[in-house]
Amino acid sequence: MNGTVETKDFQPIERLAIIGIGLIGASIALGARKRGLARHIAIADRSPTNLARAEELGLGDSYHAGADAAVKDADLVICCVPVGASGDVAREIARGLMPGAIVSDVGSVKGSVVAQMAPHLPKSVHFIPGHPVAGTEFSGPDAGLPDLFVKRWCILTPPDDVDESAKERLIGFWTALGAMVECMSAEHHDLVLAITSHVPHLIAYNIVGTADDLEAVTESEVMKFSAGGFRDFTRIAASDPTMWRDVFLNNREAVIEVLGRFTEDLIALQRAIRWGEGDKLFDLFTRTRAIRRGIIDLGQETEAPDFGRGGER
Ligand SMILES: NC(=O)c1ccc[n+]([C@@H]2O[C@H](COP(=O)([O-])OP(=O)(O)OC[C@H]3O[C@@H](n4cnc5c(N)ncnc54)[C@H](O)[C@@H]3O)[C@@H](O)[C@H]2O)c1
Ligand SMILES: O=C(O)C(=O)C[C@]1(C(=O)O)C=C[C@@H](O)C=C1
């Protein structure tokens, strides 16, 4: 099932429903509008403040307090809420969905989203979960960026019996947003993302928390003299608490598995430092530098990420 997908001409969606208009929902709305990918964008959010802000920003064509009203007559529905709220959304939209509609999501965890949503969705719709691997530490409708997904991966985890034309349609949508699409199983996704995204966030939250605890001992010097490396961790550790609580609670098994490996490797480094095994440290740091340079060569990273708003906000 694995494979990268090429761009094709895209016939616009008649009605796109976005449930949850935060960073990712707003980025989809802006990206779709910029590229003419949907004739009507219906937006729902359970937060009256975020819904009103989305309307002020003109992110859609209609605004709905209830997700069930937004999905009426929609041919593509994308659920963009924290993964822990996916089941609630599926329950709410189930009866309003049009037969033949494609229902997808953007959650950072896939197995749990499938378990939460699938039981509520009617058999007459095509449920194809997704995850754009692109984001920032900001949240809410103001954080949306029309080019957030350009040259970024979007992973789809279609069921084995997926309707091929529905899958192609969703691939076409993400490709038209500028993303590169790859398909895999939900289980594999959750293991890969545990090491590439979830555990790195946990490490950032932990190191910033430890530094903050040391603050009392060192009387402000930790924060005052924090150099570039630590500042990079503080960016990641500023990410949305609700979203990340839900990620860890919904990808427990894979995160615990990866954390076990990580802890063993950290202890090995501790031993190498204690016993003065400089070769071991040097070899590892040489290997990891090559990995970073490989990522840059692949064009997946720039030295200084700038999401089109002139750097830091
Ligand atoms: N932030 C990232 O970098 C990133 C990247 C890729 C995927 N994701 C995934 O995208 C999803 C959304 O993340 P985000 O960063 O856009 O979050 P966000 O906090 O910016 O937006 C979430 C929105 O969902 C709304 N919401 C919550 N529960 C709801 C419900 N039951 N019904 C309707 N609306 C509801 C909130 O009011 C909010 O407006 C998450 O599942 C996250 O895992 C995030
Ligand atoms: O750049 C960032 O701020 C991110 O953390 C984005 C990031 C990631 O870990 O790469 C975070 C979570 C998402 O599920 C996808 C992308």
Side-chain angles (χ1 to χ4, degrees):
M1 215 201 295
N2 287 357
T4 307
V5 176
E6 299 298 322
T7 312
K8 292 194 197 114
D9 288 337
F10 186 76
Q11 190 65 28
I13 300 286
E14 285 301 324
R15 181 175 167 107
L16 165 65
I18 298 175
I19 315 303
I21 194 71
L23 163 69
I24 301 299
S27 298
I28 293 173
L30 288 167
R33 172 83 83 217
K34 179 175 171 177
R35 296 167 178 83
L37 306 184
R39 295 195 208 285
H40 182 101
I41 301 177
I43 290 173
D45 200 292
R46 75 160 181 203
S47 152
T49 312
N50 286 2
L51 194 61
R53 185 63 186 145
E55 190 162 5
E56 272 169 29
L57 293 167
L59 297 179
D61 300 295
S62 62
Y63 301 87
H64 309 266
D68 50 346
V71 303
K72 195 171 176 301
D73 298 325
D75 32 6
L76 175 58
V77 175
I78 308 186
C79 175
C80 304
V81 302
V83 289
S86 312
D88 291 346
V89 171
R91 209 174 302 118
E92 194 184 345
I93 64 176
R95 269 191 292 160
L97 289 167
M98 184 171 79
I102 299 171
V103 178
S104 190
D105 80 305
V106 294
S108 306
V109 179
K110 298 275 53 89
S112 162
V113 165
V114 173
Q116 289 180 64
M117 293 188 74
H120 301 292
L121 299 175
K123 295 270 174 285
S124 60
V125 303
H126 306 292
F127 178 41
I128 308 176
H131 176 206
V133 188
T136 72
E137 69 276 29
F138 300 103
S139 51
D142 283 284
L145 299 166
D147 296 327
L148 182 65
F149 309 113
V150 173
K151 292 193 185 152
R152 299 285 163 164
W153 288 105
C154 179
I155 299 172
L156 301 183
T157 62
D160 291 341
D161 61 349
V162 69
D163 177 284
E164 285 300 321
S165 67
K167 187 178 97 178
E168 288 306 319
R169 185 85 174 120
L170 187 59
I171 288 172
F173 179 73
W174 279 107
T175 307
L177 281 174
M180 306 171 293
V181 179
E182 186 144 327
C183 295
M184 61 181 69
S185 71
E187 194 187 14
H188 187 65
H189 167 279
D190 289 353
L191 187 60
V192 171
L193 270 290
I195 180 66
T196 59
S197 176
H198 304 168
V199 168
H201 275 76
L202 197 69
I203 293 165
Y205 282 123
N206 190 50
I207 197 164
V208 176
T210 303
D212 189 42
D213 291 344
L214 287 174
E215 187 85 319
V217 181
T218 60
E219 291 170 0
S220 294
E221 285 173 323
V222 172
M223 296 303 174
K224 188 169 159 192
F225 298 122
S226 69
F230 183 73
R231 290 178 82 90
D232 290 350
F233 279 116
T234 63
R235 182 186 81 74
I236 295 292
S239 301
D240 190 69
T242 304
M243 170 189 156
W244 284 98
R245 176 204 61 197
D246 283 11
V247 167
F248 291 114
L249 294 184
N250 286 278
N251 197 21
R252 274 176 225 231
E253 232 173 88
V255 166
I256 287 171
E257 163 78 23
V258 169
L259 264 182
R261 289 288 295 267
F262 174 81
T263 310
E264 282 174 23
D265 291 344
L266 193 63
I267 299 288
L269 281 177
Q270 190 183 26
R271 277 181 62 90
I273 293 168
R274 182 187 302 285
W275 299 108
E277 294 168 348
D279 286 354
K280 271 196 187 154
L281 299 175
F282 187 85
D283 289 350
L284 174 68
F285 301 162
T286 304
R287 190 153 57 94
T288 56
R289 171 190 269 187
I291 290 166
R292 166 71 185 182
R293 290 184 175 165
I295 291 171
I296 292 171
D297 287 348
L298 279 173
Q300 289 180 2
E301 185 60 272
T302 55
E303 288 294 350
D306 180 342
F307 293 103
R309 289 188 179 172
E312 253 182 56
R313 284 175 281 163

